[in-house]
């Protein structure tokens, strides 16, 4: 069975021969087969595994979803009883042959069509910079002796030529100072494969062809010893990187060993394919005239927030810092009215000290933008470059213009699926200038405190000390407190936008702010401002947001959902006016009804001519919510994800990784998946689900070889931390609720009056833990 040439991506070739009699129990036979295959895959995760035999009436396809069945012809009469499975796609092609002698089964010829990885992805030759301390010191000396005033005096206020000239000079210095080397990387080579191992592989192949078995055994023994030695060296290298706080290098090695999130190959196409991608990625920037029937909906009416221009800036080039300081008031329900006239804006001037601090915050291993200036250069030479860049930044702010070089981005299409077949299967990733990102961070630090008091209080994204857990907790708190009342139901509409960030038009953004770029570091913050002029919060309905994930919560009493429907219609109309395209097909509604009588389901809500589907479960911000709010679906998803990541942990253990390195991988990859959103569900899950989660933790503990905290211990600790964060954050949406529970005599919190279902939710459970700690 051993082929003459085994591709390097396979460490072993294992064959499983199966015979299942016609009278056997098919389910029991598949279970036996699954246990044997799982044991082999655990021992040899990179092996080629082949399963062949007479299966009769059993079909293990459902229990072996990662395997491909290659027999496509009939093997006896008009039935296919002989099957062949392999854990590699596109490996064989089946051809029918006549039976052997008087056998009642036909023969099947499996013709190999597998193409090795090294042939599918040929060697890549790259030229890389060899950065070192000597090269950085030479660059610092070069920039220290540079007369930067010559650049600024020669170009004056011509910011485009000034930026291009400075960029070309910096790249010239780097090219003449930092040495380069050419590297060839093969797709099937592991990082611990050294030239000595490659020489032994060639020697092994020569001994195999010569037929000398003794020499082959000697070479194989030496090859196994060398591979073990190099793997051990690679493990020690990662441990040294961990001790030196080189987290990037550690993670790269861990992902390589475990196969976690393997890097996909870059797409390859012709010029026509690239042009089609350019048109597709820029489809939202195309200014087209809508059809007459749709013009009332698609043409945005005049918005309530007028554009504001600084008197010192020319109207044709609005300043980055010119924005309305009167953001619409969000304290009342419904869309906001027009604000009062805006006073003149203030200017922003950056000091070299501020620019130096911002440059030093750049990450050294970030990809370089179109200008060719690396983040490592900006970080190491921040003291020498802060003066000229502070002048360039201030010139850009004073003129109200961004250099064309900084506005240029290189779009890299990243496949969403292993085999993309259409343009929508690619995700555009933009590489922009690190200097532009630095300027945006400085502007963001200036903008955030100015508009923080005008933000939507129910926008949970991009807020300090507020995140996904707070959004889910607020939704559950309002829903469960309302469900305490008799005859009450809750309807939650989860809106889905089509490419929300891409559909924002700069001209519409200019009506709320003036001339701020989009799609960059400022994009998340700008989106919150873009959606801040629609807020709704009453005692019976509210709209909460997490970036572009919006949810309308209707607290229905005695079946009266008039306000809930008006809120949804108002939000849909506002989205159309602001060029946000709601995907009605992916928008779902969750109806929570604990009434004992068999009430008919409520009438569906119609959005843009489509009835919204009511679902039993919905994944909201990574947490699975169902119409019973019992966390069953969420536990199933967490257990499934945790089991898949435990395989990676076992693979690292078999590699020889132990100690703090293995614990780091558990905390970041396995533990983060198991305990995701634990503050929301740890106090509310059933005992059965809690035992399932604890079994998962115990299996991880046996792999690590050290005890781990149970789900209850981890949940209680994080609940107390979250409660403390809420109490200290005066802008939290639940701050008023917590303030009402405060005791005037002690540091205890009054326990809210509630029945069983709400009593087990986050807030009452956290209050009990808080009071228990105070009693101690």
């Amino acid at each position: 069975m051993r082929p003459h040439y085994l591709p390097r991506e396979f460490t072993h070739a294992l064959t499983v021969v199966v015979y299942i009699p016609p009278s056997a129990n098919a389910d029991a036979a598949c279970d036996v087969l699954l246990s044997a295959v799982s044991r082999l895959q655990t021992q040899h995760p990179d092996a080629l595994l082949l399963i062949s035999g007479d299966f009769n009436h059993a079909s293990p396809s459902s229990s072996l979803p990662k395997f491909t069945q290659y027999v496509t012809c009939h093997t006896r009469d008009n039935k296919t009883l002989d099957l062949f499975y392999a854990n590699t796609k596109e490996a064989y092609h089946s051809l029918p042959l006549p039976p052997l002698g008087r056998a009642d089964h036909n023969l099947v010829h499996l013709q190999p069509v597998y193409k090795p990885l090294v042939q599918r992805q040929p060697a890549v030759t790259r030229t890389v910079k060899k950065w070192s301390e000597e090269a950085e010191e030479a660059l610092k000396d070069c920039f220290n002796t540079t007369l930067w005033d010559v650049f600024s005096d020669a170009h004056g206020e011509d910011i485009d030529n000034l930026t291009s000239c400075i960029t070309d000079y910096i790249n010239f210095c780097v090219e003449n100072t930092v040495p380069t080397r050419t590297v060839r990387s093969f797709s099937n080579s592991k990082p611990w494969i050294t030239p000595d191992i490659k020489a032994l592989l060639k020697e092994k192949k020569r001994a195999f062809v010569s037929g000398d078995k003794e020499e082959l055994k000697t070479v194989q023994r030496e090859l196994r010893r060398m591979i073990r030695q190099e793997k051990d060296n690679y493990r020690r290298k990662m441990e040294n990187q961990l001790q030196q706080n080189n987290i990037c290098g550690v993670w790269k090695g861990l992902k390589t060993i475990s196969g976690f999130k393997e890097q996909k190959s870059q797409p390859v196409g012709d010029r026509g394919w690239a042009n089609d991608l350019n048109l597709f990625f820029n489809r939202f920037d195309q200014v087209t005239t809508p059809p007459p029937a749709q013009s009332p909906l698609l043409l945005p009416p005049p918005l309530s927030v007028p554009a504001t221009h600084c008197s010192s800036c020319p109207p044709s080039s609005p300043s980055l810092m010119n924005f309305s300081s009167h953001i619409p008031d969000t304290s009342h329900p419904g869309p906001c009215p027009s604000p009062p006239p805006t006073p003149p804006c203030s200017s922003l001037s950056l000091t070299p000290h501020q620019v130096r601090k911002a440059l030093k915050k750049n990450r050294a291993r970030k990809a370089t933008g179109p200008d060719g200036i690396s983040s490592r250069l900006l970080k190491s030479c921040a003291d020498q470059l802060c003066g000229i860049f502070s002048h360039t930044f201030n010139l850009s702010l004073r003129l109200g213009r961004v250099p064309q070089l900084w506005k240029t981005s290189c779009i890299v299409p990243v496949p969403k699926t292993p085999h993309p077949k259409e343009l929508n299967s690619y995700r555009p990733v933009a590489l922009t200038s690190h200097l532009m990102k630095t300027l945006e961070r400085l502007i963001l630090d200036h903008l955030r405190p100015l508009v923080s008091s005008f933000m939507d209080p129910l926008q949970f994204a991009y807020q300090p000390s507020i995140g996904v857990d707070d959004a889910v907790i607020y939704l559950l708190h309002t829903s469960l407190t309302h469900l305490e009342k008799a005859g009450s139901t809750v309807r939650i509409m989860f809106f889905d936008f089509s490419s929300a960030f891409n559909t924002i038009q700069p001209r519409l953004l200019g009506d709320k702010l003036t001339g701020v770029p989009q799609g960059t570091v400022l994009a998340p913050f700008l989106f919150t401002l873009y959606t801040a002029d629609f807020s709704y919060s009453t005692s019976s309905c509210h709209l909460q947001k997490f970036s572009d994930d919006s949810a309308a919560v209707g607290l229905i009493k005695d079946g009266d959902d008039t306000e809930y429907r008006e809120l949804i219609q108002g939000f849909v109309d506002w989205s159309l006016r602001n060029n946000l395209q709601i995907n009605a097909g992916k928008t779902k509604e969750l109806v929570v009804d604990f009434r004992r009588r068999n009430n008919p389901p409520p009438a569906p809500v119609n959005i843009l001519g489509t009835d919204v589907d009511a679902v039993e479960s919905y994944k909201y911000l990574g947490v699975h919510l169902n119409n019973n709010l019992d966390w069953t679906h969420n536990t199933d998803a967490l257990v499934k994800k945790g089991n898949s990541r435990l395989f990676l942990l076992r693979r690292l253990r078999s590699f020889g990784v132990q100690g703090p390195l293995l614990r780091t991988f558990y905390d970041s990859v396995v533990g983060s998946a198991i305990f995701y959103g634990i503050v929301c569900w740890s106090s509310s899950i059933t005992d059965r689900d809690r035992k399932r989660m604890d079994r998962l933790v115990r299996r991880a503990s046996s792999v690590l070889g050290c005890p781990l905290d149970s789900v209850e211990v981890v949940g209680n600790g994080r609940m107390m931390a979250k409660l403390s964060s809420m109490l200290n954050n005066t802008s939290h949406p639940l701050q008023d609720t917590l303030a009402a529970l405060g005791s005037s005599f002690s540091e205890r919190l009054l326990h809210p009056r509630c029945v069983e279902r709400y009593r087990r939710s986050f807030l009452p459970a956290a209050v009990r833990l808080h009071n228990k700690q105070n009693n101690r």
Side-chain angles (χ1 to χ4, degrees), residues 651-723:
R651 187 168 178 176
L652 285 178
R653 178 66 182 269
S654 65
F655 187 82
V657 177
Q658 295 179 357
L661 202 58
L662 196 64
R663 181 59 185 266
T664 300
F665 188 86
Y666 166 78
D667 292 334
S668 303
V669 177
V670 184
S672 62
I674 297 175
F675 300 130
Y676 181 80
I678 190 172
V679 295
C680 307
W681 52 261
S682 63
S683 60
S684 305
I685 59 174
T686 61
D687 294 338
R688 174 179 174 274
D689 290 339
R690 188 181 301 277
K691 291 178 181 178
R692 293 173 62 194
M693 298 293 296
D694 285 335
R695 282 197 299 269
L696 194 62
V697 174
R698 286 196 296 270
R699 285 198 293 269
S701 176
S702 64
V703 177
L704 291 175
C706 62
L708 296 174
D709 293 335
S710 63
V711 173
E712 183 179 2
V713 174
V714 175
N716 291 343
R718 297 192 183 181
M719 284 172 60
M720 289 304 302
K722 177 57 66 176
L723 181 62

Side-chain angles (χ1 to χ4, degrees), residues 37 44 51 97 232 307 309-310 327 339 436 554 613 617 657 717-718:
V37 171
H44 309 286
I51 306 173
L97 295 176
D232 189 63
H309 298 272
C310 181
I327 303 297
M436 186 63 206
D613 296 333
S617 177
V657 177
R718 297 192 183 181

Side-chain angles (χ1 to χ4, degrees), residues 158-339:
D158 189 356
I159 190 170
D160 287 320
N161 288 333
L162 174 62
T163 305
S164 300
C165 186
I166 294 174
T167 302
D168 293 340
Y169 174 75
I170 292 176
N171 290 332
F172 173 78
C173 294
V174 172
E175 184 177 354
N176 289 275
T177 305
V178 182
T180 61
R181 66 187 181 100
T182 303
V183 179
R184 294 186 68 202
S185 58
F186 296 86
S187 57
N188 63 343
S189 292
K190 302 295 183 181
W192 53 85
I193 300 296
T194 61
D196 295 336
I197 293 181
K198 290 183 179 180
L200 283 175
L201 288 172
K202 294 180 180 179
E203 185 69 18
K204 176 185 174 182
K205 194 176 297 184
R206 186 196 60 78
F208 181 81
V209 174
S210 65
D212 190 344
K213 294 185 178 179
E214 294 299 328
E215 184 182 4
L216 180 62
K217 288 182 179 179
T218 303
V219 175
Q220 285 179 333
R221 191 181 306 111
E222 179 65 18
L223 180 61
R224 287 194 294 267
R225 186 193 66 81
M226 183 67 69
I227 290 177
R228 285 196 301 268
Q229 177 181 343
E230 294 301 330
K231 282 187 175 181
D232 189 63
N233 293 337
Y234 189 72
R235 177 182 56 81
R236 286 198 297 268
K237 175 184 175 182
M238 287 191 298
E239 291 177 351
N240 293 333
Q241 289 175 340
L242 183 63
Q243 294 175 357
Q244 298 171 3
N245 292 328
N246 186 1
I247 305 300
C248 180
V250 173
W251 272 112
K252 185 177 180 180
L254 289 176
K255 291 177 181 180
T256 302
I257 295 172
S258 63
F260 180 69
K261 290 184 179 180
E262 294 182 353
Q263 186 177 4
K264 299 179 181 178
S265 61
Q266 293 295 333
V268 179
D270 54 8
R271 183 181 296 272
W273 170 83
N275 291 332
D276 292 340
L277 277 177
N278 284 331
L279 293 175
F280 179 76
F281 290 153
N282 290 280
R283 65 191 187 276
F284 298 112
D285 294 333
Q286 308 289 336
V287 180
T288 57
T289 303
Q294 296 180 353
S295 58
L297 292 178
L298 296 180
L299 291 178
L303 299 179
S304 58
V305 186
T308 305
H309 298 272
C310 181
S311 58
S312 62
C313 301
S316 59
S317 59
S319 172
L320 281 171
M321 295 308 301
N322 296 342
F323 62 94
S324 173
S325 62
H326 287 274
I327 303 297
D329 187 12
T330 58
S331 61
H332 57 81
C336 302
S338 300

Side-chain angles (χ1 to χ4, degrees), residues 477-489:
H477 171 76
T478 55
S479 301
L480 290 173
T481 51
H482 175 71
L483 291 171
E484 297 274 300
K485 307 170 186 177
S488 60
T489 59

Side-chain angles (χ1 to χ4, degrees), residues 635-662:
T635 304
D636 294 339
L638 292 179
V639 170
K640 182 178 179 180
K641 184 180 293 186
N643 282 324
S644 65
R645 298 196 178 187
L646 275 180
F647 167 74
L648 303 177
L649 196 66
R650 295 190 185 98
R651 187 168 178 176
L652 285 178
R653 178 66 182 269
S654 65
F655 187 82
V657 177
Q658 295 179 357
L661 202 58
L662 196 64

